[in-house]
Amino acid sequence: MRRPVAIVTGLVLFGEAVGIVLINAVLATVAENQNMSLAGLDPDAMSTGTWVMGGVFGLLLVLCGLIALLAGVRDRALGRFGRITLIGCSVVHGVLGAVTVGLVGWGAFAFMMLVLALLVLTLLAYGPEPRVGEGAGPAEARAV
């Protein structure tokens, strides 16, 4: 069951990356066309910053999706970098889920919680493998 969860997590993160880039593209275009300024900030700087933020956030989501997809295809435990990256992605989805309830609505919140659940399931399914001598099963627990 853990392979399909990791593969679906990777694919959902890829789709989310595309969505984030598209949303930021729309926001950047609107800010540029409206020629709006926020507290004296240059409108071109706002537009450029939105494009950069969308690209960076999209790349990070692609990286997280690639880590989850590789874990599912290889069916091996995640390394330290992979676990830290997916944990960070989970925290971001939890915080953004809480923010989206008020700003966007319950549908966006449900989607963010779905992605969070997939990330947590992937992290739990591909937890660290027990080391030799640490006692990996109930037989060692009974012997102590």
Side-chain angles (χ1 to χ4, degrees), residues 10-134:
L11 295 176
V12 167
L13 287 172
F14 290 151
E16 188 178 5
V18 170
I20 287 294
V21 170
L22 290 176
I23 287 173
N24 279 289
V26 169
L27 290 174
T29 305
V30 167
E32 187 175 335
N33 289 341
Q34 293 293 322
N35 203 11
M36 298 165 51
S37 175
L38 182 66
L41 189 63
D42 183 27
D44 291 332
M46 291 174 54
S47 177
T48 304
T50 305
W51 277 108
V52 170
M53 181 182 67
V56 169
F57 199 28
L59 286 175
L60 289 174
L61 285 170
V62 166
L63 173 69
C64 293
L66 190 61
I67 290 170
L69 190 64
L70 286 175
V73 169
R74 293 178 180 168
D75 200 25
R76 284 193 289 163
L78 297 166
R80 179 175 288 168
F81 175 76
R83 289 189 63 76
I84 290 171
T85 305
L86 289 185
I87 288 170
C89 190
S90 299
V91 170
V92 168
H93 275 84
V95 171
L96 287 179
V99 170
T100 57
V101 168
L103 295 177
V104 182
W106 289 103
F109 172 77
F111 175 75
M112 296 299 282
M113 292 303 106
L114 173 72
V115 177
L116 175 63
L118 287 171
L119 285 165
V120 170
L121 281 173
T122 301
L123 283 166
L124 290 176
Y126 288 101
E129 295 176 354
R131 297 181 187 176
V132 176
E134 286 187 2

